[in-house]
Amino acid sequence: MTDVTRIDTVRLGGQDGPGIGVQGFGAMGISEFYGDTDEAAARDTLDAALEAGVTLIDTADAYGNGANERFLAPFLAAHRDEVTLATKFALERRADDPAYRGIRNDPAYIRTAVEGSLSRLGIETIDLYYMHRRDPEVPLAESVGAMAELVREGKVRYLGLSEVTGPELREAHAVHPIAALQSEWSLFSRDVERSAVGAAAELGVTVVPYSPLGRGFLTGSFSDATKDLTGGDFRRHQPRFTGENAERNAALLDPVRKIAAAHGATPAQIALAWVQQRASVHGLTVVPIPGTRKRSRLEENAAATRITLTGAELAELEPISGLVAGDRYMDMRFTAVSREA
């Protein structure tokens, strides 16, 4: 495995943005979705992130219905000047209906959401505030305009969007500069390249890939979610990870394993190195946010930033996404690809 050293830094959203580690940390799995969590181990993992130079910490008000933000509050209190904190609004949840998911982009909701996040996080200003999902029924100019007011008021420093198309990114950027675009991007999921990546490169927007390890599938840690994962793990309900789809997709990992062996690395590190090298392929800044609850995995992920894949290796990995069986969500209406022309 590659030796762990502090990772390089880049600028979020261009030369005027804050310096952040070239890899970030996705905190979602600490609170829910991936089964039980060891809180002490999760806090140790956050400490390991800072030790490795992983300074962009990503959460959302929807993760654990606010629990993830509350979990991060003590860490932020101790390390506020070392962390660039990103959180999100728009996925509405209800305490009386745990299965409910709605999307709210209206200005009144945005203002309520930001106050809730600031309170739970115990901070005065959110460094990067994302619209988690787009509601096409609300004009984008209204939503981004409301977000821009939060910047003027000092509640937010930079704005981001998640799961939007290229035209939507351009439309939003014309209202107020957008620093970051967060979308799923991995060897298994490349629909963000249809229009959004090109727009981000054109506008100087940093791309923040979530699930760069294909929700763990690219690591080889499980091959069939129904058989290998616990009942509280939401991957048991995702089309790619069960039944015949899982069997077909597991076979796609063979070249990843082969390349990993050649580098003395793990499949996870090769998958992350591939995402990281999208920066040079597309001419933009890329900061993936793999999530983990273990220090050892955090260090493994950070070490992937030191791996450079050859042109021949990139070519060998190129066909994988076109062969993947199954959608990345049961309901794709919440994704940008559902609105692509």
Side-chain angles (χ1 to χ4, degrees):
M1 187 182 296
T2 307
D3 291 337
V4 177
T5 56
R6 284 185 65 85
I7 65 175
D8 293 337
T9 61
V10 292
R11 291 284 176 184
L12 175 69
Q15 292 304 311
D16 295 332
I20 57 174
V22 74
Q23 184 182 108
F25 178 80
M28 180 183 80
I30 290 174
S31 297
E32 65 174 336
F33 301 112
Y34 294 107
D36 296 335
T37 297
D38 181 330
E39 184 170 313
R43 294 202 179 282
D44 184 54
T45 301
L46 288 172
D47 291 338
L50 288 189
E51 292 166 15
V54 176
T55 57
L56 176 65
I57 309 298
D58 183 274
T59 183
D61 59 6
Y63 300 160
N65 206 8
N68 200 252
E69 291 179 326
R70 287 190 289 270
F71 176 86
L72 290 172
F75 176 75
L76 293 172
H79 302 285
R80 188 66 188 99
D81 293 341
E82 303 168 75
V83 170
T84 298
L85 189 282
T87 192
K88 315 178 196 70
F89 74 89
L91 283 182
E92 184 183 34
R93 301 183 66 172
R94 295 175 179 169
D96 61 348
D97 183 2
Y100 175 81
R101 300 289 189 276
I103 301 179
R104 291 282 301 275
N105 289 175
D106 56 281
Y109 181 83
I110 294 171
R111 186 159 291 278
T112 299
V114 76
E115 295 296 346
S117 287
L118 288 168
S119 176
R120 287 186 293 271
L121 290 161
I123 59 179
E124 295 182 355
T125 305
I126 294 165
D127 298 311
L128 176 59
Y129 200 41
Y130 285 103
M131 179 191 295
H132 205 161
R133 291 293 187 270
R134 168 89 202 281
D135 177 4
E137 299 302 314
V138 178
L140 196 53
E142 281 188 21
S143 302
V144 178
M147 295 168 72
E149 289 180 8
L150 302 179
V151 176
R152 289 191 287 271
E153 294 170 10
K155 298 180 186 296
V156 171
R157 291 193 175 94
Y158 299 94
L159 302 185
L161 301 174
S162 181
E163 289 285 352
V164 297
T165 67
E168 289 170 340
L169 180 58
R170 289 188 180 92
E171 180 183 352
H173 196 78
V175 176
H176 187 279
I178 302 299
L181 164 70
Q182 184 174 137
S183 287
E184 186 166 355
W185 202 5
S186 74
L187 280 167
F188 268 26
S189 299
R190 296 179 61 178
D191 46 78
V192 68
E193 297 175 24
R194 295 186 185 184
S195 68
V197 165
E202 172 190 319
L203 299 170
V205 175
T206 297
V207 177
V208 179
Y210 72 83
S211 298
L213 294 173
R215 303 198 182 279
F217 195 85
L218 286 163
T219 71
S221 60
F222 72 98
S223 57
D224 186 316
T226 304
K227 298 175 182 176
D228 301 336
L229 303 178
T230 61
D233 196 308
F234 93 118
R235 290 172 291 184
R236 290 166 57 94
H237 307 288
Q238 300 305 304
R240 290 183 172 175
F241 306 140
T242 59
E244 292 183 2
N245 285 348
E247 184 177 354
R248 288 177 57 186
N249 293 337
L252 299 177
L253 300 184
D254 289 345
V256 181
R257 293 191 182 94
K258 187 186 86 171
I259 294 169
H263 283 266
T266 65
Q269 290 177 317
I270 298 307
L272 287 171
W274 181 90
V275 175
Q276 208 78 63
Q277 280 182 243
R278 300 298 92 192
S280 57
V281 171
H282 294 279
L284 75 173
T285 301
V286 177
V287 182
I289 49 169
T292 183
R293 296 173 289 190
K294 297 179 180 178
R295 171 182 280 268
S296 61
R297 293 297 189 194
L298 187 286
E299 293 171 347
E300 176 185 338
N301 293 343
T305 66
R306 302 297 183 188
I307 296 173
T308 300
L309 303 176
T310 68
E313 289 168 339
L314 292 174
E316 192 168 359
L317 297 172
E318 182 68 21
I320 290 177
S321 65
L323 301 173
V324 173
D327 287 332
R328 50 191 176 98
Y329 290 104
M330 290 182 67
D331 185 351
M332 290 290 286
R333 291 177 299 170
F334 283 15
T335 67
V337 70
S338 68
R339 300 187 302 278
E340 292 280 5

